[in-house]
PDB file of all heavy atoms in Angstrom:
ATOM      1  N   TYR Y 153      -7.315  -9.243   3.136  1.00  0.00           N
ATOM      2  CA  TYR Y 153      -8.305  -8.425   3.809  1.00  0.00           C
ATOM      3  C   TYR Y 153      -8.579  -9.069   5.169  1.00  0.00           C
ATOM      4  O   TYR Y 153      -8.637  -8.417   6.123  1.00  0.00           O
ATOM      5  CB  TYR Y 153      -9.698  -8.439   3.110  1.00  0.00           C
ATOM      6  CG  TYR Y 153      -9.541  -7.735   1.701  1.00  0.00           C
ATOM      7  CD1 TYR Y 153     -10.614  -7.902   0.716  1.00  0.00           C
ATOM      8  CD2 TYR Y 153      -8.463  -6.983   1.252  1.00  0.00           C
ATOM      9  CE1 TYR Y 153     -10.582  -7.268  -0.447  1.00  0.00           C
ATOM     10  CE2 TYR Y 153      -8.391  -6.369  -0.020  1.00  0.00           C
ATOM     11  CZ  TYR Y 153      -9.570  -6.481  -0.889  1.00  0.00           C
ATOM     12  OH  TYR Y 153      -9.404  -6.001  -2.085  1.00  0.00           O
ATOM     13  N   PHE Y 154      -8.779 -10.396   5.194  1.00  0.00           N
ATOM     14  CA  PHE Y 154      -8.995 -11.082   6.410  1.00  0.00           C
ATOM     15  C   PHE Y 154      -7.896 -10.852   7.505  1.00  0.00           C
ATOM     16  O   PHE Y 154      -8.109 -10.481   8.647  1.00  0.00           O
ATOM     17  CB  PHE Y 154      -9.142 -12.563   6.214  1.00  0.00           C
ATOM     18  CG  PHE Y 154      -9.246 -13.395   7.420  1.00  0.00           C
ATOM     19  CD1 PHE Y 154     -10.332 -13.418   8.340  1.00  0.00           C
ATOM     20  CD2 PHE Y 154      -8.120 -14.140   7.740  1.00  0.00           C
ATOM     21  CE1 PHE Y 154     -10.332 -14.282   9.431  1.00  0.00           C
ATOM     22  CE2 PHE Y 154      -8.121 -14.976   8.960  1.00  0.00           C
ATOM     23  CZ  PHE Y 154      -9.194 -14.887   9.731  1.00  0.00           C
ATOM     24  N   ALA Y 155      -6.594 -11.092   7.088  1.00  0.00           N
ATOM     25  CA  ALA Y 155      -5.478 -11.069   7.889  1.00  0.00           C
ATOM     26  C   ALA Y 155      -5.300  -9.706   8.477  1.00  0.00           C
ATOM     27  O   ALA Y 155      -4.995  -9.478   9.718  1.00  0.00           O
ATOM     28  CB  ALA Y 155      -4.275 -11.635   7.337  1.00  0.00           C
ATOM     29  N   TRP Y 156      -5.181  -8.736   7.659  1.00  0.00           N
ATOM     30  CA  TRP Y 156      -4.830  -7.315   7.966  1.00  0.00           C
ATOM     31  C   TRP Y 156      -5.956  -6.741   8.814  1.00  0.00           C
ATOM     32  O   TRP Y 156      -5.717  -6.000   9.642  1.00  0.00           O
ATOM     33  CB  TRP Y 156      -4.715  -6.431   6.697  1.00  0.00           C
ATOM     34  CG  TRP Y 156      -3.389  -6.786   6.056  1.00  0.00           C
ATOM     35  CD1 TRP Y 156      -2.316  -7.434   6.603  1.00  0.00           C
ATOM     36  CD2 TRP Y 156      -3.036  -6.688   4.697  1.00  0.00           C
ATOM     37  NE1 TRP Y 156      -1.361  -7.592   5.610  1.00  0.00           N
ATOM     38  CE2 TRP Y 156      -1.657  -7.117   4.514  1.00  0.00           C
ATOM     39  CE3 TRP Y 156      -3.795  -6.151   3.539  1.00  0.00           C
ATOM     40  CZ2 TRP Y 156      -1.071  -7.131   3.180  1.00  0.00           C
ATOM     41  CZ3 TRP Y 156      -3.019  -6.071   2.432  1.00  0.00           C
ATOM     42  CH2 TRP Y 156      -1.902  -6.464   2.213  1.00  0.00           C
ATOM     43  N   THR Y 157      -7.198  -7.005   8.500  1.00  0.00           N
ATOM     44  CA  THR Y 157      -8.427  -6.504   9.250  1.00  0.00           C
ATOM     45  C   THR Y 157      -8.469  -7.078  10.639  1.00  0.00           C
ATOM     46  O   THR Y 157      -8.755  -6.391  11.633  1.00  0.00           O
ATOM     47  CB  THR Y 157      -9.747  -6.724   8.488  1.00  0.00           C
ATOM     48  OG1 THR Y 157      -9.677  -6.152   7.146  1.00  0.00           O
ATOM     49  CG2 THR Y 157     -10.967  -6.092   9.225  1.00  0.00           C
ATOM     50  N   LEU Y 158      -8.144  -8.350  10.835  1.00  0.00           N
ATOM     51  CA  LEU Y 158      -8.068  -9.044  12.022  1.00  0.00           C
ATOM     52  C   LEU Y 158      -6.974  -8.403  12.958  1.00  0.00           C
ATOM     53  O   LEU Y 158      -7.197  -8.144  14.034  1.00  0.00           O
ATOM     54  CB  LEU Y 158      -7.912 -10.503  11.900  1.00  0.00           C
ATOM     55  CG  LEU Y 158      -7.827 -11.347  13.145  1.00  0.00           C
ATOM     56  CD1 LEU Y 158      -9.141 -11.254  13.971  1.00  0.00           C
ATOM     57  CD2 LEU Y 158      -7.627 -12.887  12.867  1.00  0.00           C
ATOM     58  N   ALA Y 159      -5.871  -8.164  12.343  1.00  0.00           N
ATOM     59  CA  ALA Y 159      -4.648  -7.642  13.051  1.00  0.00           C
ATOM     60  C   ALA Y 159      -5.074  -6.255  13.604  1.00  0.00           C
ATOM     61  O   ALA Y 159      -4.726  -5.812  14.594  1.00  0.00           O
ATOM     62  CB  ALA Y 159      -3.535  -7.558  12.210  1.00  0.00           C
ATOM     63  N   ASP Y 160      -5.897  -5.393  12.645  1.00  0.00           N
ATOM     64  CA  ASP Y 160      -6.340  -4.065  13.011  1.00  0.00           C
ATOM     65  C   ASP Y 160      -7.177  -4.099  14.238  1.00  0.00           C
ATOM     66  O   ASP Y 160      -7.170  -3.355  15.087  1.00  0.00           O
ATOM     67  CB  ASP Y 160      -6.932  -3.450  11.756  1.00  0.00           C
ATOM     68  CG  ASP Y 160      -7.108  -1.970  12.000  1.00  0.00           C
ATOM     69  OD1 ASP Y 160      -6.435  -1.329  12.948  1.00  0.00           O
ATOM     70  OD2 ASP Y 160      -7.791  -1.377  11.204  1.00  0.00           O
ATOM     71  N   ALA Y 161      -8.196  -5.055  14.094  1.00  0.00           N
ATOM     72  CA  ALA Y 161      -9.270  -5.266  15.132  1.00  0.00           C
ATOM     73  C   ALA Y 161      -8.639  -5.591  16.406  1.00  0.00           C
ATOM     74  O   ALA Y 161      -9.022  -5.172  17.522  1.00  0.00           O
ATOM     75  CB  ALA Y 161     -10.219  -6.371  14.757  1.00  0.00           C
TER      76      ALA Y 161
END
Side-chain angles (χ1 to χ4, degrees):
Y153 297 169
F154 168 78
W156 290 334
T157 306
L158 181 60
D160 194 15

